[in-house]
Every structure is written in C-alpha cells, then in structure tokens.
C-alpha cells in the first residue's frame, strides 16, 4: 500500500485531531483561567504522530498555539495571569517540540512505507518475468502485473527491432483503437522515449495514443506514463500506461527501478530466440552435411564397384 492509499485509509485520525483541538478551546471559554484544559492540546500533538501527512503535527501546533492565546484572553477569571502565562508558555513549547518530533517521525515512516512499496513492486515483477518465456508471454506478464500494481486501466509495450519499435502486447485497449502497431525512433512521444530513454508523464493525452475500452465503450485516459526499458544503455522496449485517475507520485520512481529488470528480461528472450535459431540452423546444416556425406559415400561405392568390374 502506498503512502497516498494509507492517508485515505485513516480519515478518522484527522477527525480525532480536530476534536482534540476544538474541545479544549470550548472548555477554555467556559472554565476559569488556570484550569489545565490546555493539556488536551498536548494530547492532540501526540495523536498527530499516527497521521500519514508529515505536515499534520505542524498544523496541529499552529492551530493549538493560536487557540491557546485566544483562550487566555477569553477565559473567565481564575488564577493569576502571570501563572497562567507560564503554564500556557510551557504548553506551547511542549507542543512545538512534539510537532518537530512528529514531523521527522512521519517523514521517516512515510519513506519506509515508500521503500517497502517499491521493493514489493520489484520482487513481484521479478517473479512474473522469471523462467523461459517467449517475447509475447513476457510482454503479457509485464503488462498484466504492472497495470494491477500501478492501478492503470490500459497499457501497451513496444519491443525494439532495429530502428522500429513494434507493439507486442496491450492491456485494456480496444482492438479498433487507433493505436499504432509500430513506431519509429523519434516519432511521437513513444518514439521520443525510445530515442532518449526519459520517463514522460502526461496529463493532456493527445489522440491516437492509449485508449481505455470495454464492451460498453471506450475513452481516452486522463494521464499517461511512458518509460523505456534499457540494458547497458541500450533501449530495447518502451512501455506506456494509461490512468483514469491521477498517477501515484511514486509510480515514476518505481518504473525507474524496473527499467533495467525489464530490459534484461527482453534481452534474455532475444538471446534465447537467437540461440534457438542458431541451433536450428546448425541442426539443418548438420543434416544437410550428413545427406551430402551419404551421397558421396554412395558415389564412392558405385565408383569402386565400376573399377572392380573393369
């Protein structure tokens, strides 16, 4: 689960923080000055550690500080003002120490979750591309896994062959969609990625690129992610993903890590295909040589028989 999905999965944290900040302020307006309702602000700062947004502790600290100051002026009379100032100053200082600690804690927690997600993507893809596969099987497995992991709705993979990249597989693309079967290096966005190897994210999707389709219709995706798969500086594949939603901010970082894995896998398949062709050619040549040898042996036997008869 990415950081973004973690944020969406715990909205109760932010509701609880709002309650813990508003309640002591309301109590401050009703109880005499000196009542330690401001302790709840410290509790809110501590609870903010469970949020996934690293700015949450800072926001809690800012809002709490403002409400503590307002509450000081609006609270009914109670203890001496100097004692109340000291208590509230200590409270504000404690809140800001917790805010700074919480900011660093959430940042580190988010980075750990991000690294776990990136590693899970690498491990998962490695398991799908392992073993002996044809280029079509490899292309299908790569697209099937990455569309699910990235949350894409459509995808296509173009494998390099000379100066042309041919579409070997697609996912979620209607058969009649005007998506090219092959692209020359430097031609369009896909060709540009094949040329310079740079990752491209696009929010204004042009025509004749990926489409998302089903039996009920088709549509142009809202966002595109295109990247090259390369091995030892050689680009041998270009992948294109279409999204109906915003692209996860870690998606580009993930495909940068996956690029050499896919590149090596494509190169391995091409080497195996080349080796298979060479073995088949060698086998045919060996059979041909054997046939020629048999013909020569037969000719020699015939010559020997003729010489004897003479």
């Amino acid at each position: 689960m990415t950081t973004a999905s973690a944020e969406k999965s715990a909205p109760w944290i932010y509701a609880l923080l709002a309650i813990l900040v508003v309640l002591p302020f309301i109590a401050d307006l009703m109880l005499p000055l000196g009542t330690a309702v401001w302790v709840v602000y410290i509790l809110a700062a501590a609870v903010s550690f469970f949020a996934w947004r690293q700015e949450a502790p800072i926001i809690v600290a800012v809002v709490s500080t403002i409400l503590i100051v307002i509450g000081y002026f609006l609270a009914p009379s109670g203890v001496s003002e100097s004692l109340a100032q000291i208590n509230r100053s200590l409270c504000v200082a404690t809140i800001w120490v917790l805010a700074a600690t919480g900011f660093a804690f959430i940042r580190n927690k988010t980075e750990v979750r991000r690294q776990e997600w990136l590693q899970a993507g690498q491990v998962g893809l490695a398991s799908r591309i392992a073993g002996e596969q044809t280029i079509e099987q490899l292309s299908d497995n790569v697209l099937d896994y990455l569309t699910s992991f990235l949350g894409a709705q459509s995808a296509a993979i173009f494998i390099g062959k000379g100066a042309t990249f041919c579409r070997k597989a697609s996912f979620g693309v209607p058969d009649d969609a005007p998506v090219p079967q092959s692209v020359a290096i430097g031609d369009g966005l896909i060709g540009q990625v094949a040329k310079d190897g740079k990752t491209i994210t696009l929010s204004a999707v042009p025509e004749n690129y990926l489409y998302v389709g089903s039996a009920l219709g088709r549509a142009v995706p809202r966002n595109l992610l295109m990247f090259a798969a390369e091995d030892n500086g050689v680009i041998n594949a270009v992948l294109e993903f279409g999204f109906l939603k915003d692209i996860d901010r870690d998606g580009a970082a993930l495909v940068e890590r996956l690029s050499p894995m896919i590149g090596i896998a494509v190169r391995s398949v091409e080497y195996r295909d080349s080796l298979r062709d060479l073995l088949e050619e060698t086998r045919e040549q060996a059979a041909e040589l054997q046939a020629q040898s048999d013909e020569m042996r037969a000719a020699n036997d015939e010559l020997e028989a003729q010489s004897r008869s003479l």
Side-chain angles (χ1 to χ4, degrees):
M1 182 171 58
T2 62
T3 302
S5 59
E7 292 170 0
K8 295 177 183 177
S9 64
W12 61 270
I13 288 291
Y14 304 104
L16 179 60
L17 288 175
I19 293 172
L20 291 177
V21 170
V22 172
L23 281 181
F25 178 69
I26 295 174
D28 227 355
L29 300 180
M30 301 173 60
L31 299 175
L33 187 66
T35 306
V37 294
W38 41 262
V39 174
V40 182
Y41 290 116
I42 298 178
L43 178 60
V47 171
S48 69
F49 280 47
F50 294 97
W52 279 99
R53 293 184 177 275
Q54 60 186 21
E55 64 271 16
I58 304 299
I59 294 174
V60 169
V62 171
V63 174
S64 298
T65 301
I66 294 174
L67 295 182
I68 287 172
V69 173
I70 295 175
Y72 169 78
F73 290 105
L74 299 182
S77 300
V79 298
S80 64
E81 294 184 358
S82 60
L83 181 59
Q85 290 174 1
I86 293 173
N87 290 339
R88 290 175 183 255
S89 297
L90 291 174
C91 176
V92 170
T94 303
I95 289 173
W96 278 100
V97 169
L98 287 173
T101 305
F103 179 85
F105 173 77
I106 295 174
R107 182 178 59 186
N108 293 337
K109 179 175 65 172
T110 302
E111 182 60 24
V112 169
R113 177 63 63 88
R114 176 176 177 272
Q115 293 299 326
E116 289 176 348
W117 183 78
L118 294 174
Q119 290 175 6
Q122 291 177 276
V123 172
L125 180 63
S127 66
R128 293 296 296 272
I129 63 178
E132 188 170 339
Q133 305 179 37
T134 64
I135 194 65
E136 288 78 13
Q137 291 172 332
L138 176 68
S139 300
D140 284 334
N141 287 336
V142 168
L143 293 189
D144 182 62
Y145 176 77
L146 287 182
T147 49
S148 175
F149 197 82
L150 293 173
Q153 282 69 47
S154 61
I157 181 170
F158 297 80
I159 304 298
K161 188 175 183 181
T164 305
F165 280 72
C166 300
R167 179 154 62 101
K168 289 295 182 180
S170 59
F171 180 94
V173 180
D175 292 335
D176 60 343
V179 180
Q181 290 294 333
S182 62
V183 177
I185 294 178
D187 182 16
L189 293 175
I190 300 174
Q192 194 61 41
V193 175
K195 180 180 179 181
D196 56 30
K198 293 181 180 178
T199 300
I200 294 179
T201 55
L202 196 65
S203 57
V205 180
E207 293 293 329
N208 298 332
Y209 278 80
L210 277 186
Y211 283 77
V212 180
S214 67
L216 301 178
R218 68 184 185 187
V220 177
R222 288 178 52 190
N223 296 280
L224 282 182
L225 171 63
M226 289 176 279
F227 71 98
E230 57 181 295
D231 175 44
N232 292 327
V234 177
I235 298 174
N236 47 28
V238 174
L239 293 89
E240 183 181 15
F241 293 89
F243 299 82
L244 293 177
K245 59 181 181 178
D246 292 338
I247 300 174
D248 191 290
R249 57 179 175 266
D250 294 329
L254 175 63
V255 298
E256 292 289 341
R257 293 193 180 190
L258 299 181
S259 172
M261 292 177 57
I262 300 173
I264 292 172
V266 171
R267 185 198 62 180
S268 299
V269 171
E270 291 175 342
Y271 279 176
R272 281 197 299 269
D273 290 344
S274 298
L275 181 59
R276 190 179 297 110
D277 292 341
L278 288 173
L279 288 174
E280 184 62 29
E281 186 178 346
T282 302
R283 191 178 297 111
E284 291 175 357
Q285 290 176 349
E288 208 174 299
L289 289 173
Q290 182 64 39
Q292 292 175 356
S293 177
D294 292 341
E295 290 177 4
M296 292 181 65
R297 185 179 298 108
N300 288 335
D301 291 342
E302 187 176 348
L303 288 174
E304 186 176 349
Q306 291 177 356
S307 68
R308 284 181 188 152
S309 64
L310 292 175

PDB file of all heavy atoms in Angstrom, residues 3 52 54 103-119 249-250 253 257:
ATOM      1  N   THR A   3       1.814   5.435   0.232  1.00  0.00           N
ATOM      2  CA  THR A   3       1.527   6.462   1.222  1.00  0.00           C
ATOM      3  C   THR A   3       0.185   7.107   0.963  1.00  0.00           C
ATOM      4  O   THR A   3      -0.575   7.405   1.884  1.00  0.00           O
ATOM      5  CB  THR A   3       2.635   7.520   1.190  1.00  0.00           C
ATOM      6  OG1 THR A   3       3.878   6.880   1.444  1.00  0.00           O
ATOM      7  CG2 THR A   3       2.404   8.567   2.241  1.00  0.00           C
ATOM      8  N   TRP A  52      -0.557  10.316   8.407  1.00  0.00           N
ATOM      9  CA  TRP A  52       0.396   9.988   7.348  1.00  0.00           C
ATOM     10  C   TRP A  52       0.921  11.224   6.637  1.00  0.00           C
ATOM     11  O   TRP A  52       1.847  11.122   5.837  1.00  0.00           O
ATOM     12  CB  TRP A  52      -0.239   9.034   6.336  1.00  0.00           C
ATOM     13  CG  TRP A  52      -0.208   7.615   6.809  1.00  0.00           C
ATOM     14  CD1 TRP A  52      -1.211   6.914   7.389  1.00  0.00           C
ATOM     15  CD2 TRP A  52       0.919   6.726   6.775  1.00  0.00           C
ATOM     16  NE1 TRP A  52      -0.801   5.646   7.708  1.00  0.00           N
ATOM     17  CE2 TRP A  52       0.508   5.496   7.334  1.00  0.00           C
ATOM     18  CE3 TRP A  52       2.229   6.842   6.317  1.00  0.00           C
ATOM     19  CZ2 TRP A  52       1.348   4.397   7.453  1.00  0.00           C
ATOM     20  CZ3 TRP A  52       3.069   5.743   6.427  1.00  0.00           C
ATOM     21  CH2 TRP A  52       2.636   4.552   6.999  1.00  0.00           C
ATOM     22  N   GLN A  54       3.045  14.461   6.814  1.00  0.00           N
ATOM     23  CA  GLN A  54       4.088  14.938   7.716  1.00  0.00           C
ATOM     24  C   GLN A  54       3.834  16.360   8.199  1.00  0.00           C
ATOM     25  O   GLN A  54       4.397  16.788   9.211  1.00  0.00           O
ATOM     26  CB  GLN A  54       5.459  14.860   7.029  1.00  0.00           C
ATOM     27  CG  GLN A  54       5.586  15.688   5.765  1.00  0.00           C
ATOM     28  CD  GLN A  54       6.912  15.446   5.064  1.00  0.00           C
ATOM     29  OE1 GLN A  54       7.563  14.429   5.277  1.00  0.00           O
ATOM     30  NE2 GLN A  54       7.320  16.378   4.234  1.00  0.00           N
ATOM     31  N   PHE A 103       6.945  15.563  12.968  1.00  0.00           N
ATOM     32  CA  PHE A 103       7.256  15.821  11.562  1.00  0.00           C
ATOM     33  C   PHE A 103       8.344  14.871  11.078  1.00  0.00           C
ATOM     34  O   PHE A 103       8.210  14.245  10.015  1.00  0.00           O
ATOM     35  CB  PHE A 103       7.706  17.271  11.396  1.00  0.00           C
ATOM     36  CG  PHE A 103       8.067  17.646   9.990  1.00  0.00           C
ATOM     37  CD1 PHE A 103       7.100  18.054   9.089  1.00  0.00           C
ATOM     38  CD2 PHE A 103       9.387  17.591   9.553  1.00  0.00           C
ATOM     39  CE1 PHE A 103       7.425  18.394   7.787  1.00  0.00           C
ATOM     40  CE2 PHE A 103       9.732  17.923   8.255  1.00  0.00           C
ATOM     41  CZ  PHE A 103       8.741  18.335   7.374  1.00  0.00           C
ATOM     42  N   ALA A 104       9.428  14.747  11.848  1.00  0.00           N
ATOM     43  CA  ALA A 104      10.521  13.848  11.465  1.00  0.00           C
ATOM     44  C   ALA A 104      10.078  12.391  11.504  1.00  0.00           C
ATOM     45  O   ALA A 104      10.436  11.586  10.622  1.00  0.00           O
ATOM     46  CB  ALA A 104      11.711  14.056  12.393  1.00  0.00           C
ATOM     47  N   PHE A 105       9.257  12.039  12.490  1.00  0.00           N
ATOM     48  CA  PHE A 105       8.795  10.652  12.635  1.00  0.00           C
ATOM     49  C   PHE A 105       7.939  10.235  11.438  1.00  0.00           C
ATOM     50  O   PHE A 105       8.129   9.163  10.861  1.00  0.00           O
ATOM     51  CB  PHE A 105       8.008  10.510  13.933  1.00  0.00           C
ATOM     52  CG  PHE A 105       7.356   9.166  14.105  1.00  0.00           C
ATOM     53  CD1 PHE A 105       8.089   8.058  14.486  1.00  0.00           C
ATOM     54  CD2 PHE A 105       5.987   9.019  13.887  1.00  0.00           C
ATOM     55  CE1 PHE A 105       7.481   6.819  14.634  1.00  0.00           C
ATOM     56  CE2 PHE A 105       5.371   7.786  14.036  1.00  0.00           C
ATOM     57  CZ  PHE A 105       6.116   6.690  14.410  1.00  0.00           C
ATOM     58  N   ILE A 106       6.980  11.091  11.061  1.00  0.00           N
ATOM     59  CA  ILE A 106       6.087  10.758   9.948  1.00  0.00           C
ATOM     60  C   ILE A 106       6.858  10.727   8.634  1.00  0.00           C
ATOM     61  O   ILE A 106       6.598   9.881   7.769  1.00  0.00           O
ATOM     62  CB  ILE A 106       4.922  11.762   9.884  1.00  0.00           C
ATOM     63  CG1 ILE A 106       4.058  11.640  11.138  1.00  0.00           C
ATOM     64  CG2 ILE A 106       4.074  11.536   8.637  1.00  0.00           C
ATOM     65  CD1 ILE A 106       2.965  12.674  11.233  1.00  0.00           C
ATOM     66  N   ARG A 107       7.806  11.646   8.481  1.00  0.00           N
ATOM     67  CA  ARG A 107       8.620  11.643   7.259  1.00  0.00           C
ATOM     68  C   ARG A 107       9.381  10.333   7.120  1.00  0.00           C
ATOM     69  O   ARG A 107       9.414   9.723   6.034  1.00  0.00           O
ATOM     70  CB  ARG A 107       9.580  12.824   7.266  1.00  0.00           C
ATOM     71  CG  ARG A 107      10.443  12.942   6.004  1.00  0.00           C
ATOM     72  CD  ARG A 107      11.320  14.159   6.066  1.00  0.00           C
ATOM     73  NE  ARG A 107      12.192  14.129   7.233  1.00  0.00           N
ATOM     74  CZ  ARG A 107      12.988  15.139   7.600  1.00  0.00           C
ATOM     75  NH1 ARG A 107      12.983  16.260   6.893  1.00  0.00           N
ATOM     76  NH2 ARG A 107      13.752  15.035   8.655  1.00  0.00           N
ATOM     77  N   ASN A 108       9.991   9.877   8.205  1.00  0.00           N
ATOM     78  CA  ASN A 108      10.725   8.611   8.160  1.00  0.00           C
ATOM     79  C   ASN A 108       9.776   7.427   7.947  1.00  0.00           C
ATOM     80  O   ASN A 108      10.090   6.499   7.194  1.00  0.00           O
ATOM     81  CB  ASN A 108      11.511   8.419   9.457  1.00  0.00           C
ATOM     82  CG  ASN A 108      12.626   9.420   9.622  1.00  0.00           C
ATOM     83  OD1 ASN A 108      13.106   9.992   8.646  1.00  0.00           O
ATOM     84  ND2 ASN A 108      13.040   9.664  10.852  1.00  0.00           N
ATOM     85  N   LYS A 109       8.621   7.469   8.607  1.00  0.00           N
ATOM     86  CA  LYS A 109       7.640   6.390   8.452  1.00  0.00           C
ATOM     87  C   LYS A 109       7.138   6.314   7.008  1.00  0.00           C
ATOM     88  O   LYS A 109       6.997   5.225   6.447  1.00  0.00           O
ATOM     89  CB  LYS A 109       6.471   6.647   9.412  1.00  0.00           C
ATOM     90  CG  LYS A 109       5.369   5.617   9.348  1.00  0.00           C
ATOM     91  CD  LYS A 109       4.310   5.864  10.410  1.00  0.00           C
ATOM     92  CE  LYS A 109       3.566   7.169  10.179  1.00  0.00           C
ATOM     93  NZ  LYS A 109       2.406   7.316  11.097  1.00  0.00           N
ATOM     94  N   THR A 110       6.901   7.487   6.429  1.00  0.00           N
ATOM     95  CA  THR A 110       6.436   7.533   5.039  1.00  0.00           C
ATOM     96  C   THR A 110       7.497   6.998   4.088  1.00  0.00           C
ATOM     97  O   THR A 110       7.195   6.267   3.139  1.00  0.00           O
ATOM     98  CB  THR A 110       6.073   8.976   4.650  1.00  0.00           C
ATOM     99  OG1 THR A 110       5.070   9.474   5.539  1.00  0.00           O
ATOM    100  CG2 THR A 110       5.558   9.042   3.225  1.00  0.00           C
ATOM    101  N   GLU A 111       8.758   7.357   4.332  1.00  0.00           N
ATOM    102  CA  GLU A 111       9.841   6.891   3.466  1.00  0.00           C
ATOM    103  C   GLU A 111      10.017   5.379   3.575  1.00  0.00           C
ATOM    104  O   GLU A 111      10.264   4.698   2.574  1.00  0.00           O
ATOM    105  CB  GLU A 111      11.143   7.606   3.822  1.00  0.00           C
ATOM    106  CG  GLU A 111      12.331   7.228   2.952  1.00  0.00           C
ATOM    107  CD  GLU A 111      12.109   7.530   1.476  1.00  0.00           C
ATOM    108  OE1 GLU A 111      11.286   8.416   1.156  1.00  0.00           O
ATOM    109  OE2 GLU A 111      12.753   6.872   0.637  1.00  0.00           O
ATOM    110  N   VAL A 112       9.882   4.846   4.785  1.00  0.00           N
ATOM    111  CA  VAL A 112       9.977   3.390   4.969  1.00  0.00           C
ATOM    112  C   VAL A 112       8.859   2.699   4.201  1.00  0.00           C
ATOM    113  O   VAL A 112       9.089   1.700   3.495  1.00  0.00           O
ATOM    114  CB  VAL A 112       9.914   3.021   6.462  1.00  0.00           C
ATOM    115  CG1 VAL A 112       9.741   1.513   6.634  1.00  0.00           C
ATOM    116  CG2 VAL A 112      11.183   3.479   7.176  1.00  0.00           C
ATOM    117  N   ARG A 113       7.626   3.223   4.314  1.00  0.00           N
ATOM    118  CA  ARG A 113       6.499   2.634   3.583  1.00  0.00           C
ATOM    119  C   ARG A 113       6.720   2.737   2.077  1.00  0.00           C
ATOM    120  O   ARG A 113       6.409   1.819   1.320  1.00  0.00           O
ATOM    121  CB  ARG A 113       5.205   3.345   3.992  1.00  0.00           C
ATOM    122  CG  ARG A 113       3.956   2.878   3.249  1.00  0.00           C
ATOM    123  CD  ARG A 113       3.658   1.415   3.539  1.00  0.00           C
ATOM    124  NE  ARG A 113       3.371   1.188   4.932  1.00  0.00           N
ATOM    125  CZ  ARG A 113       2.152   1.293   5.474  1.00  0.00           C
ATOM    126  NH1 ARG A 113       1.135   1.622   4.712  1.00  0.00           N
ATOM    127  NH2 ARG A 113       1.967   1.047   6.750  1.00  0.00           N
ATOM    128  N   ARG A 114       7.265   3.861   1.652  1.00  0.00           N
ATOM    129  CA  ARG A 114       7.532   4.050   0.216  1.00  0.00           C
ATOM    130  C   ARG A 114       8.550   3.039  -0.286  1.00  0.00           C
ATOM    131  O   ARG A 114       8.366   2.420  -1.341  1.00  0.00           O
ATOM    132  CB  ARG A 114       8.033   5.471  -0.021  1.00  0.00           C
ATOM    133  CG  ARG A 114       8.436   5.781  -1.464  1.00  0.00           C
ATOM    134  CD  ARG A 114       8.827   7.241  -1.596  1.00  0.00           C
ATOM    135  NE  ARG A 114       9.280   7.549  -2.934  1.00  0.00           N
ATOM    136  CZ  ARG A 114      10.536   7.432  -3.348  1.00  0.00           C
ATOM    137  NH1 ARG A 114      11.479   7.034  -2.495  1.00  0.00           N
ATOM    138  NH2 ARG A 114      10.879   7.732  -4.595  1.00  0.00           N
ATOM    139  N   GLN A 115       9.637   2.843   0.464  1.00  0.00           N
ATOM    140  CA  GLN A 115      10.660   1.885   0.059  1.00  0.00           C
ATOM    141  C   GLN A 115      10.109   0.458   0.052  1.00  0.00           C
ATOM    142  O   GLN A 115      10.457  -0.348  -0.827  1.00  0.00           O
ATOM    143  CB  GLN A 115      11.877   1.980   0.992  1.00  0.00           C
ATOM    144  CG  GLN A 115      12.639   3.282   0.888  1.00  0.00           C
ATOM    145  CD  GLN A 115      13.206   3.518  -0.508  1.00  0.00           C
ATOM    146  OE1 GLN A 115      13.592   2.578  -1.206  1.00  0.00           O
ATOM    147  NE2 GLN A 115      13.273   4.784  -0.916  1.00  0.00           N
ATOM    148  N   GLU A 116       9.253   0.133   1.003  1.00  0.00           N
ATOM    149  CA  GLU A 116       8.637  -1.201   1.030  1.00  0.00           C
ATOM    150  C   GLU A 116       7.773  -1.408  -0.204  1.00  0.00           C
ATOM    151  O   GLU A 116       7.763  -2.502  -0.790  1.00  0.00           O
ATOM    152  CB  GLU A 116       7.795  -1.356   2.302  1.00  0.00           C
ATOM    153  CG  GLU A 116       8.613  -1.481   3.579  1.00  0.00           C
ATOM    154  CD  GLU A 116       7.742  -1.534   4.811  1.00  0.00           C
ATOM    155  OE1 GLU A 116       6.514  -1.251   4.689  1.00  0.00           O
ATOM    156  OE2 GLU A 116       8.256  -1.852   5.898  1.00  0.00           O
ATOM    157  N   TRP A 117       7.029  -0.372  -0.594  1.00  0.00           N
ATOM    158  CA  TRP A 117       6.165  -0.475  -1.781  1.00  0.00           C
ATOM    159  C   TRP A 117       7.006  -0.645  -3.044  1.00  0.00           C
ATOM    160  O   TRP A 117       6.686  -1.466  -3.903  1.00  0.00           O
ATOM    161  CB  TRP A 117       5.297   0.774  -1.869  1.00  0.00           C
ATOM    162  CG  TRP A 117       4.320   0.756  -3.012  1.00  0.00           C
ATOM    163  CD1 TRP A 117       3.133   0.072  -3.064  1.00  0.00           C
ATOM    164  CD2 TRP A 117       4.451   1.438  -4.254  1.00  0.00           C
ATOM    165  NE1 TRP A 117       2.521   0.297  -4.273  1.00  0.00           N
ATOM    166  CE2 TRP A 117       3.291   1.136  -5.023  1.00  0.00           C
ATOM    167  CE3 TRP A 117       5.404   2.292  -4.797  1.00  0.00           C
ATOM    168  CZ2 TRP A 117       3.092   1.653  -6.298  1.00  0.00           C
ATOM    169  CZ3 TRP A 117       5.201   2.805  -6.074  1.00  0.00           C
ATOM    170  CH2 TRP A 117       4.060   2.483  -6.809  1.00  0.00           C
ATOM    171  N   LEU A 118       8.092   0.109  -3.148  1.00  0.00           N
ATOM    172  CA  LEU A 118       8.963  -0.006  -4.315  1.00  0.00           C
ATOM    173  C   LEU A 118       9.605  -1.389  -4.388  1.00  0.00           C
ATOM    174  O   LEU A 118       9.678  -2.000  -5.461  1.00  0.00           O
ATOM    175  CB  LEU A 118      10.048   1.070  -4.268  1.00  0.00           C
ATOM    176  CG  LEU A 118       9.578   2.528  -4.407  1.00  0.00           C
ATOM    177  CD1 LEU A 118      10.739   3.485  -4.191  1.00  0.00           C
ATOM    178  CD2 LEU A 118       8.958   2.763  -5.776  1.00  0.00           C
ATOM    179  N   GLN A 119      10.054  -1.903  -3.254  1.00  0.00           N
ATOM    180  CA  GLN A 119      10.664  -3.231  -3.239  1.00  0.00           C
ATOM    181  C   GLN A 119       9.641  -4.315  -3.563  1.00  0.00           C
ATOM    182  O   GLN A 119       9.964  -5.293  -4.261  1.00  0.00           O
ATOM    183  CB  GLN A 119      11.301  -3.491  -1.868  1.00  0.00           C
ATOM    184  CG  GLN A 119      12.536  -2.642  -1.601  1.00  0.00           C
ATOM    185  CD  GLN A 119      13.084  -2.818  -0.201  1.00  0.00           C
ATOM    186  OE1 GLN A 119      12.610  -3.667   0.549  1.00  0.00           O
ATOM    187  NE2 GLN A 119      14.069  -2.015   0.164  1.00  0.00           N
ATOM    188  N   ARG A 249       2.309   9.369  -7.073  1.00  0.00           N
ATOM    189  CA  ARG A 249       3.571  10.112  -7.142  1.00  0.00           C
ATOM    190  C   ARG A 249       4.802   9.212  -7.077  1.00  0.00           C
ATOM    191  O   ARG A 249       5.894   9.621  -7.471  1.00  0.00           O
ATOM    192  CB  ARG A 249       3.631  11.147  -6.011  1.00  0.00           C
ATOM    193  CG  ARG A 249       3.486  10.579  -4.613  1.00  0.00           C
ATOM    194  CD  ARG A 249       3.598  11.698  -3.582  1.00  0.00           C
ATOM    195  NE  ARG A 249       3.346  11.239  -2.229  1.00  0.00           N
ATOM    196  CZ  ARG A 249       2.166  11.291  -1.637  1.00  0.00           C
ATOM    197  NH1 ARG A 249       1.129  11.739  -2.312  1.00  0.00           N
ATOM    198  NH2 ARG A 249       1.998  10.867  -0.400  1.00  0.00           N
ATOM    199  N   ASP A 250       4.636   7.983  -6.585  1.00  0.00           N
ATOM    200  CA  ASP A 250       5.773   7.057  -6.536  1.00  0.00           C
ATOM    201  C   ASP A 250       5.847   6.168  -7.770  1.00  0.00           C
ATOM    202  O   ASP A 250       6.765   5.365  -7.903  1.00  0.00           O
ATOM    203  CB  ASP A 250       5.677   6.171  -5.283  1.00  0.00           C
ATOM    204  CG  ASP A 250       5.846   6.974  -4.002  1.00  0.00           C
ATOM    205  OD1 ASP A 250       6.577   7.977  -4.051  1.00  0.00           O
ATOM    206  OD2 ASP A 250       5.249   6.601  -2.981  1.00  0.00           O
ATOM    207  N   ALA A 253       8.973   6.766  -9.807  1.00  0.00           N
ATOM    208  CA  ALA A 253      10.157   6.230  -9.122  1.00  0.00           C
ATOM    209  C   ALA A 253      10.227   4.710  -9.276  1.00  0.00           C
ATOM    210  O   ALA A 253      11.317   4.144  -9.435  1.00  0.00           O
ATOM    211  CB  ALA A 253      10.125   6.606  -7.640  1.00  0.00           C
ATOM    212  N   ARG A 257      13.165   2.064 -11.404  1.00  0.00           N
ATOM    213  CA  ARG A 257      13.830   0.882 -10.862  1.00  0.00           C
ATOM    214  C   ARG A 257      13.564  -0.362 -11.710  1.00  0.00           C
ATOM    215  O   ARG A 257      14.401  -1.259 -11.800  1.00  0.00           O
ATOM    216  CB  ARG A 257      13.348   0.619  -9.426  1.00  0.00           C
ATOM    217  CG  ARG A 257      13.761   1.673  -8.415  1.00  0.00           C
ATOM    218  CD  ARG A 257      13.521   1.169  -7.010  1.00  0.00           C
ATOM    219  NE  ARG A 257      13.904   2.147  -5.999  1.00  0.00           N
ATOM    220  CZ  ARG A 257      13.975   1.881  -4.692  1.00  0.00           C
ATOM    221  NH1 ARG A 257      13.676   0.666  -4.266  1.00  0.00           N
ATOM    222  NH2 ARG A 257      14.321   2.808  -3.831  1.00  0.00           N
TER     223      ARG A 257
END
